[in-house]
Amino acid sequence: MRIHRLEIQAFGPFAGREIIDFDQLGAQGLFLLNGSTGAGKTSILDSIAYALYGTVPGARSNSANQLRSHHAAQGVGPEVLCEFTAGGRRLEVRRSPEWMRPVKRGSGTTREQASTQLREKNADGWEVKSTRNDEAASEIQQLLGMNMAQFTKVVLLAQGEFAAFLRATAADRQALLQRLFGTDVYEGVENRLAAESRTAQGAVATGMAELLAKEELARSQSRSVLAAYAAQLAQAEEGGQAPETAEPVELHGMELFASLGEQLERALTLAQAHAQTSQEESEALVTSIAEEQNRRTRHQQLVEAVAEQERLAGLADEEAQWRHSLELHHQGQVLAAVVTAAAKSARESTQAQEAAARAATVFDSNPVAAALLGQPGATASIEDLQTLDKELIRQLAAVDRALPDETRNAGKSAALAKNEKALADALTQRQQQDAAATAARARLTEVQDRAETLRAGAVDVEHAEQAATAAKTLVGAIEEYQAHCVELVQLEDAEREARDKSLNCRQSWLEAIESRLSQAAGELAATLVEGEPCQVCGSTVHPAPSPLAAAGADLLKAERAAKKLSDTAEAAAKDAGTRLAQARSALAVLAERGGEGELAKAQDAVVQRRQAHQEAKAGAAERDALHQEAGELQERLEQAREGVVAAAGQAASLSAAQAALAEEIADLGQQLELAQDGYTSLAQRRVAVLAAQQPGEELLVALRKKAAAMTTAQDAGAALEKDLEGSVFADASGVQAALLAPGTAAALDEKIKDHAKAVAVNTDRLATAQMLAARAETVVVLGDNELAALAQQSRVAVQLAKTAELAAGMARSAATEVRLTQADFMALEEDVAPLREKAKMLLGLAEAVRGQGENKYKMTLSSYVLTARLEQVAQAASVRLATMSDARYTLRHSDAKKGNQKSGLGLEVVDEWTGISRDTATLSGGESFMASLSLALGLSDVVQYESGGLDIETLFVDEGFGSLDEQSLEQVMDALEGLRDGGRMVGLVSHVAEMKQRIPVHLHVHKGRHGSTVELKMAGAQAS
C-alpha cells in the first residue's frame, strides 16, 4: 500500500485546504515531519486514518464529532481526500465528517451528515465505486487486509505505545496481540470444547439418571403385585409358608430385572389357578339362580294373562258404542264442507252490506267528493263512482304538472334574497381589502428602509466572535508569557549557579587527582614487602622506601569524595540546563502566539471585540426579523390585491343575476295563480284532491264486494238443501252434532284397534308352550327371602372371581411391563456407554486447551497461538535491534512462569556481549526506544505477513528519537534507511535537531492564530 496524495480542508488545526504530494515528498525514500508542539503533525496521520477507516486512532476517536477546524471560515465544510495504491489498484477516497453548517436562509445552523466517495482510476479516468460510508470502509479494509487497530501498528508506528508493550504484563500483551492477530477463532475453539464437554457430561448424567429411573420404574411396577401376591397366597394356603418376596433393593442392572421377573412368574401362576377355581364356583351359582328366576317368571306371566283375558271380556259392550259414534262421524264428514261453505258465505254477505253502508257515510263527509258526485253515497251506483274517480285523476295530473313551476319559483325567490346579501358582502370585502393593501404597503416601505440602514453598517457575527476569541487568547498568552519571563530569570540564575558549582567541584576533583598522582611513590611504598619484587623495578630489596607512604590511603579517599561531589554537581547542572531549555522553548512558543504584546492594549481589545460581537449579534438578529417581516408583508400585500380584484368581479356578477331573477319570478307567478284554483298553494290543492279520491275509491270497492257476496250466499244455500235430501241428517245442525273433534275420532279408532289387538295377543300368549308348562308344573317356587339369599351368595362368588382375575391380570401386566422396561434399560445402556467415553475425551481436551489438567505450562490454546506470533515478532525485531545496538541486543520470547501465572507471553532482552538475558525493564531510555522501535517494526512485518503479504510502501514512525545519543541515533538511522529498500517511503515525526540535518526532505507544519499550514522543504530550499 502506497500513499500518493493527501488533501486536508477545515480538519483539525488546518483551517484552509492543504495538499501534500507524497510522491514528491518521498522521492528519496526518507522524509522528516516536524513542527512546533500542537502544530498538527499527528493530525496529518489522523487524517490518513480517517480517510481510510472513517475514524481517528486512539483516544482521539472519542471527539470524532468535533473534527472540523475551529479556525475554518463560516460555511467551509471539513474534508479529507487520500489517493493511494493497494493490490495493483489506484483509488481515491474522500470523506467529510458530520458538522453543523449555517442554514441557507435566515440564521442558525443545521446538521450536515457525514459523507464518503470512493473512486477508482481506470483507462477511461476516475470511476465512482461507492458513496456509502459502510460500503467504502468495507472495500478499503478488504483491499488493505487490515482493520484500524492493525493499520495503526503497521503503517502508523507510535513509539510510545510500543514502549508500553515492551514492558507490559502478559495479560496486557495478550490483549493487544489478540486485537492485531484476531485469535477470536481459537478462543471460540476453547469455548466450544468447554461447552461440548459440559454438554457431554450433562448427557452422561442424564443417561445415568434415566438408567436409575428405569430401575426404579421396574421396582414400582412389581411392588404392588408382589405385595398382593403374598396376601392372596396367605389366604389361599392356610398355614403354608409363602415364598420370599422381599424387594431386591440392593440389586442393580440385569440382576435386578432377573430377580423381579422370577418373582412375578411365580405370582402369575398362583393367581391364575386361584382365578380359575373362583370362576367355576361363580358360574354354578349363577346357573342355579337363573333357573329359579325363569320358573318364577313363567308362573307370574300365567297369572297376568288370565287377568287380562277377564278384563277384555268386560269391555265388549263399550267397544260396540265406540263403533257407532265413529260411523256417524264418518257420514257427517261427507257433508261438513257444504255446511261450512253455506255458513261462511252468509256471514260474508252480511259483512259486505255493513261495509258498503260505512263507506257511503265516509264518502258523504268529504265536501269535495260529495260536490262532484251531486248525490248521497248510499244511492250512488258503481258507474257514478267510476266517473267521479276519472275526474279526480285528471285534476291531480294537472296539479302535478304545475308543481315544478311552483318549486322553481320558490328557489328563485330564495336565490334573489341570497344574492342581495352576497352583493352587500362583496362590496364590504372590497373596501376592507383596499384598506389592508394600503396599510401593508406603508409598513413594507418602513421595514425595507430599516433593513437597508442595518445592512449598510453590518458586521459578520462569526468574524466578530473569532476576533473576540482571538483577543481573549492573546491576553492569556501575554499573561502566561510575562509569568514565564519571571520564571526564566530565576531558572537562568539557578542554572548559572549550578554550572559554576559544577566547574568548581570538577576543579577540586582534578586537583585531588593531581595530588594523589604526586604521592604515587608513597602509595607504591605502602605496598612493598621485604623479600618480594618491587612493582616498578623488580628488586626484592627495598633499602629506602618513600616517606610519604602513610598519606597514600587518605589521598585516595579524598579523590573519591571529590569525584562524587563533582558527579553530583554535574548532574544538577545538567538538570538545571534542561529545565532552562524547556522554559526557553515554552517562552518561544508563547512569543509566537503574541505573548510579547502589551497587556493593557490586549485587555482593551478584548472589551472592544466583545462589545462589537454583541452589537453584531443584535444587528444580525434584527436584520433576520426584518427580513422575515418583509416577506410576510409582501405576502399580505399580494393577498389584499387579489382580494380587491375578486370582490369587484363578484359584485358585478351578482348585480347582473339580480335583474334576470326578478323578471323570471314575475312570469312564473301568473301561471301559478291559475293552477292553484283558489288554493293558497298547489300542495294544498293536491292534498284536497287526494283526500276526495280515497273515499270514492273505498266506496266503489265496497259496492263491488257487496254484490259478489250476496250472489255467493244464494248459491251455497241451494247446494246445502240438495245434499241433505239423501243423508241420515235432517238439517245442518244434525251434521254438526255428529262431527267429532279430530283428536276424539282418532282416539276412538285407536281404542277399537287396541282392544282387538289385545284380545289376539293375550289369546296367543295363553297358547304358548311356556304358559302350558306353567299350568302343568307342580314344583314349589322359592320365596323372596330364599331367592335373595341365593343371589347374595352368587354375588359374593362373582366378586371373588373378578378379584382373582384382576390379580392375575395385574401380575401378567406387571411381568410384561418389567420385560419392556428391561428392554428399554438395555437399549439405554448401549447408548450411554459411548457417551461416557466421549465425555472423558472431551473433558481432557477442554482442560488442555484451557491450560488445565496435564497442560505443563498452563497455557491456553489462544495463548499458544499468540506465543508463536510473539516469537515471530521477537525474531523479526531482533534483526533490526542488532543493527541499532551494534549487534549487542536481541529480543527473545520467554515461556517461563512467574508464580501461579500462566506462561507463554514473556519477553526478555539478550545481551550478546555477555550472553546473559534480562528483563526488558532494565533497559535504559535510549535502549528502550531502540527495542520498542524494533518491536514495532517487527510487529509491522508479522502483521503485514499475516494480512496476506500486502506490500507496505508507506510507513510513519512517530517521536522518541530524543532519548538517543549520537552513536545510537546513527545506528537507528541506518536501520530506518534500510526500510526504504525496494521503494518504500518512510516518514519520521521528530523534534531532534540532528535529524533535521541528516534528512534533507522536510514536511514542516506551521502553527498560527488562524490555523496551521504545511510546507515542503527540500535541501534547505522551500517549496510549496
Side-chain angles (χ1 to χ4, degrees):
M1 193 275 286
R2 187 178 186 88
I3 299 175
H4 301 287
R5 177 169 55 94
L6 180 67
E7 296 186 13
I8 309 172
Q9 173 181 290
F11 187 89
F14 303 103
R17 191 172 192 85
E18 304 296 329
I19 302 176
I20 303 174
D21 187 348
F22 281 101
D23 290 337
Q24 180 184 6
L25 186 62
Q28 298 185 19
L30 197 64
F31 68 91
L32 183 67
L33 176 59
N34 62 5
S36 59
T37 302
K41 301 185 296 298
T42 304
S43 294
I44 293 178
L45 306 184
D46 288 348
S47 64
I48 296 174
Y50 182 79
L52 296 176
Y53 293 96
T55 184
V56 294
R60 298 183 298 279
S61 62
N62 295 330
S63 58
N65 58 347
Q66 300 178 0
L67 295 177
R68 183 178 182 271
S69 175
H70 298 295
H71 302 285
Q74 184 178 10
V76 177
E79 181 180 276
V80 176
L81 181 145
C82 182
E83 183 180 346
F84 64 97
T85 299
R89 299 169 61 186
R90 187 150 183 161
L91 297 104
E92 176 193 87
V93 58
R94 183 192 307 270
R95 288 187 190 270
S96 175
E98 181 182 281
W99 65 292
M100 301 301 294
R101 65 168 178 82
V103 296
K104 296 181 180 179
R105 294 183 179 179
S107 60
T109 59
T110 183
R111 187 178 303 277
E112 185 74 17
Q113 299 297 330
S115 62
T116 299
Q117 184 189 63
L118 178 65
R119 301 196 303 170
E120 182 174 5
K121 192 172 185 180
N122 51 35
D124 299 329
W126 289 98
E127 177 187 359
V128 176
K129 304 295 291 183
S130 176
T131 57
R132 289 180 52 182
N133 298 335
D134 53 350
E135 285 183 353
S138 176
E139 184 162 353
I140 292 174
Q141 181 169 331
Q142 184 177 3
L143 183 62
L144 298 182
M146 295 178 288
N147 56 27
M148 179 67 172
Q150 293 171 324
F151 181 80
T152 57
K153 303 302 183 294
V154 174
V155 179
L156 309 180
L157 304 181
Q159 183 271 339
E161 294 185 14
F162 281 87
F165 177 74
L166 183 69
R167 297 185 175 90
T169 63
D172 295 338
R173 195 172 288 141
Q174 180 178 0
L176 177 59
L177 292 174
Q178 283 176 338
R179 291 198 303 270
L180 291 179
F181 294 107
T183 58
D184 295 341
V185 62
Y186 301 104
E187 292 182 353
V189 170
E190 296 174 13
N191 297 331
R192 181 177 177 183
L193 285 174
E196 290 182 356
S197 176
R198 290 193 297 271
T199 302
Q201 296 293 336
V204 171
T206 302
M208 294 301 298
E210 291 179 356
L211 288 174
L212 292 176
K214 293 297 181 184
E215 293 180 358
E216 183 59 30
L217 177 61
R219 290 190 178 96
S220 64
Q221 290 170 343
S222 60
R223 185 177 294 119
S224 60
V225 172
L226 293 179
Y229 160 74
Q232 290 180 6
L233 184 62
Q235 293 176 3
E237 300 179 7
E238 296 181 0
Q241 181 64 35
E244 181 64 36
T245 58
E247 183 177 320
V249 179
E250 68 281 358
L251 299 180
H252 292 282
M254 298 308 298
E255 293 181 359
L256 172 66
F257 285 100
S259 176
L260 292 176
E262 181 181 354
Q263 293 185 43
L264 288 172
E265 287 297 331
R266 291 202 306 267
L268 177 60
T269 300
L270 294 176
Q272 288 176 340
H274 185 206
Q276 183 176 1
T277 303
S278 299
Q279 184 65 29
E280 290 174 355
E281 293 177 356
S282 173
E283 290 176 354
L285 287 172
V286 168
T287 302
S288 298
I289 291 174
E291 291 177 353
E292 183 61 31
Q293 287 180 341
N294 288 335
R295 186 181 300 111
R296 286 171 60 89
T297 301
R298 286 197 299 273
H299 283 273
Q300 181 66 31
Q301 289 176 351
L302 177 61
V303 172
E304 293 175 353
V306 172
E308 178 67 10
Q309 185 178 26
E310 293 175 355
R311 184 184 71 81
L312 293 174
L315 293 177
D317 295 340
E318 189 175 356
E319 190 266 346
Q321 182 62 37
W322 293 344
R323 288 181 180 277
H324 177 69
S325 297
L326 192 60
E327 180 64 24
L328 289 178
H329 169 72
H330 289 323
Q331 292 182 10
Q333 282 182 325
V334 175
L335 298 175
V338 178
V339 171
T340 301
K344 181 180 178 182
S345 60
R347 289 195 304 273
E348 290 177 351
S349 176
T350 303
Q351 292 172 356
Q353 293 176 14
E354 294 174 352
R358 288 194 299 272
T361 302
V362 173
F363 178 85
D364 292 339
S365 64
N366 187 280
V368 175
L372 290 174
L373 182 62
Q375 58 180 323
T379 61
S381 65
I382 294 177
E383 290 76 10
D384 295 337
L385 292 174
Q386 289 177 343
T387 302
L388 174 63
D389 185 60
K390 291 179 181 179
E391 175 60 22
L392 290 173
I393 291 173
R394 184 191 65 76
Q395 290 187 12
L396 188 61
V399 171
D400 289 341
R401 284 195 301 271
L403 276 175
D405 292 339
E406 186 178 52
T407 303
R408 188 164 60 255
N409 184 59
K412 291 185 179 298
S413 299
L416 182 64
K418 183 179 180 180
N419 281 1
E420 290 178 357
K421 185 177 183 304
L423 179 59
D425 293 342
L427 294 176
T428 302
Q429 182 69 17
R430 178 177 178 179
Q431 294 175 356
Q432 293 174 349
Q433 294 296 335
D434 282 336
T438 302
R441 192 180 300 107
R443 178 55 184 166
L444 180 61
T445 302
E446 295 176 1
V447 169
Q448 290 174 343
D449 292 343
R450 176 57 180 167
E452 184 61 30
T453 301
L454 292 174
R455 191 180 297 108
V459 177
D460 185 72
V461 176
E462 185 171 356
H463 287 171
E465 183 179 7
Q466 292 177 353
T469 302
K472 183 178 180 181
T473 303
L474 180 60
V475 169
I478 294 174
E479 292 175 345
E480 192 174 357
Y481 179 83
Q482 292 176 355
H484 274 67
C485 286
V486 176
E487 184 180 357
L488 182 62
V489 173
Q490 297 173 353
L491 290 174
E492 287 176 347
D493 295 340
E495 191 272 339
R496 190 182 307 109
E497 292 176 1
R499 189 171 63 252
D500 293 343
K501 183 178 180 181
S502 175
L503 292 174
N504 292 335
C505 290
R506 185 175 181 82
Q507 184 63 33
S508 299
W509 173 53
L510 294 176
E511 290 175 356
I513 292 176
E514 185 177 356
S515 176
R516 185 181 63 79
L517 291 177
S518 66
Q519 302 296 325
E523 294 182 17
L524 291 174
T527 62
L528 291 176
V529 178
E530 191 67 31
E532 293 183 2
C534 175
Q535 298 179 11
V536 179
C537 65
S539 175
T540 58
V541 180
H542 317 296
S546 173
L548 300 175
D554 295 334
L555 292 173
L556 181 60
K557 291 181 179 179
E559 179 200 344
R560 290 176 177 173
K563 176 65 168 63
K564 185 176 181 181
L565 291 174
S566 176
D567 290 344
T568 302
E570 184 179 1
K574 281 187 178 181
D575 184 57
T578 300
R579 290 197 301 270
L580 179 59
Q582 292 175 348
R584 286 174 176 170
S585 177
L587 193 64
V589 171
L590 291 172
E592 185 178 356
R593 290 164 52 188
E596 296 176 337
E598 296 183 13
L599 180 60
K601 290 184 178 180
Q603 291 174 340
D604 293 341
V606 170
V607 176
Q608 295 173 1
R609 299 287 171 79
R610 285 179 177 173
Q611 184 176 1
H613 180 217
Q614 295 297 328
E615 293 176 354
K617 286 170 60 179
E622 186 177 359
R623 287 200 307 276
D624 293 341
L626 290 173
H627 178 73
Q628 181 177 359
E629 185 179 2
E632 295 174 355
L633 289 171
Q634 190 67 41
E635 293 179 0
R636 285 163 51 189
L637 181 59
E638 292 299 327
Q639 292 175 356
R641 290 173 178 172
E642 293 175 358
V644 170
V645 174
Q650 185 179 9
S653 176
L654 291 172
S655 298
Q658 286 290 88
L661 282 173
E663 183 177 356
E664 190 172 357
I665 288 172
D667 294 340
L668 287 173
Q670 295 177 359
Q671 298 176 9
L672 289 174
E673 186 176 358
L674 296 176
Q676 289 172 354
D677 192 24
Y679 289 92
T680 56
S681 66
L682 290 176
Q684 185 179 10
R685 183 183 178 189
R686 192 175 191 280
V687 170
V689 173
L690 288 174
Q693 191 178 29
Q694 183 177 358
E697 291 177 351
E698 292 177 353
L699 180 58
L700 179 61
V701 170
L703 291 178
R704 288 173 176 171
K705 288 182 178 181
K706 174 183 175 181
M710 292 176 67
T711 302
T712 302
Q714 292 175 359
D715 295 342
L720 176 61
E721 292 294 334
K722 182 179 180 181
D723 290 341
L724 286 174
E725 291 177 356
S727 68
V728 295
F729 302 105
D731 51 21
S733 60
V735 174
Q736 292 177 348
L739 289 174
L740 299 174
T744 303
L748 287 177
D749 185 60
E750 189 66 26
K751 283 182 178 182
I752 294 171
K753 291 179 180 179
D754 289 344
H755 183 269
K757 182 178 179 181
V759 171
V761 168
N762 197 57
T763 301
D764 294 339
R765 181 179 180 186
L766 290 172
T768 60
Q770 189 175 6
M771 295 294 100
L772 296 176
R775 290 177 184 274
E777 280 182 343
T778 59
V779 180
V780 178
V781 179
L782 295 178
D784 292 338
N785 293 335
E786 295 172 337
L787 185 61
L790 186 61
Q792 178 62 27
Q793 185 179 357
S794 176
R795 285 194 294 273
V796 171
V798 170
Q799 186 62 37
L800 290 175
K802 290 181 179 179
T803 302
E805 183 63 28
L806 179 61
M810 291 176 62
R812 188 181 303 105
S813 176
T816 302
E817 290 177 350
V818 170
R819 284 195 298 272
L820 294 176
T821 304
Q822 179 180 358
D824 293 342
F825 181 89
M826 295 174 63
L828 185 59
E829 176 64 28
E830 292 179 358
D831 295 337
V832 172
L835 292 179
R836 293 194 189 98
E837 297 298 326
K838 180 180 179 181
K840 182 178 179 182
M841 181 270 294
L842 286 175
L843 178 61
L845 188 57
E847 289 180 345
V849 299
R850 289 201 307 267
Q852 301 173 357
E854 299 180 1
N855 191 325
K856 179 180 179 181
Y857 289 98
K858 303 301 180 183
M859 187 185 302
T860 65
L861 177 61
S862 58
S863 297
Y864 175 77
V865 174
L866 293 178
T867 298
R869 296 290 183 267
L870 183 59
E871 188 172 2
Q872 294 174 346
V873 171
Q875 292 174 356
S878 295
V879 175
R880 293 188 173 85
L881 182 57
T883 302
M884 296 181 186
S885 63
D886 198 14
R888 180 177 180 181
Y889 294 118
T890 57
L891 291 172
R892 184 172 63 189
H893 151 259
S894 172
D895 56 6
K897 294 178 60 179
K898 293 183 179 180
N900 294 327
Q901 296 181 358
K902 296 181 180 179
S903 62
L905 294 177
L907 198 63
E908 59 187 13
V909 62
V910 180
D911 191 339
E912 300 295 344
W913 291 1
T914 63
I916 298 175
S917 61
R918 52 196 175 97
D919 194 278
T920 55
T922 62
L923 293 175
S924 65
E927 292 171 343
S928 293
F929 168 69
M930 291 189 292
S932 300
L933 180 58
S934 300
L935 190 61
L937 295 173
L939 190 59
S940 173
D941 292 340
V942 175
V943 172
Q944 176 183 344
Y945 175 77
E946 289 296 325
S947 299
L950 182 67
D951 191 10
I952 304 297
E953 300 181 35
T954 303
L955 191 67
F956 295 92
V957 181
D958 191 359
E959 293 299 347
F961 299 94
S963 61
L964 302 176
D965 57 32
E966 184 176 354
Q967 181 181 359
S968 298
L969 180 61
E970 185 73 21
Q971 293 168 349
V972 170
M973 290 301 299
D974 290 340
L976 291 175
E977 287 179 351
L979 294 175
R980 59 184 181 179
D981 294 343
R984 181 181 288 182
M985 176 177 61
V986 182
L988 305 180
V989 183
S990 179
H991 296 282
V992 178
E994 290 82 351
M995 298 185 68
K996 296 181 181 179
Q997 298 173 2
R998 179 165 183 145
I999 302 175
V1001 183
H1002 300 172
L1003 181 63
H1004 189 79
V1005 183
H1006 296 281
K1007 179 173 63 175
R1009 295 183 179 180
H1010 302 295
S1012 298
T1013 57
V1014 297
E1015 180 184 11
L1016 176 62
K1017 297 181 179 180
M1018 301 181 64
Q1022 293 185 356
S1024 59

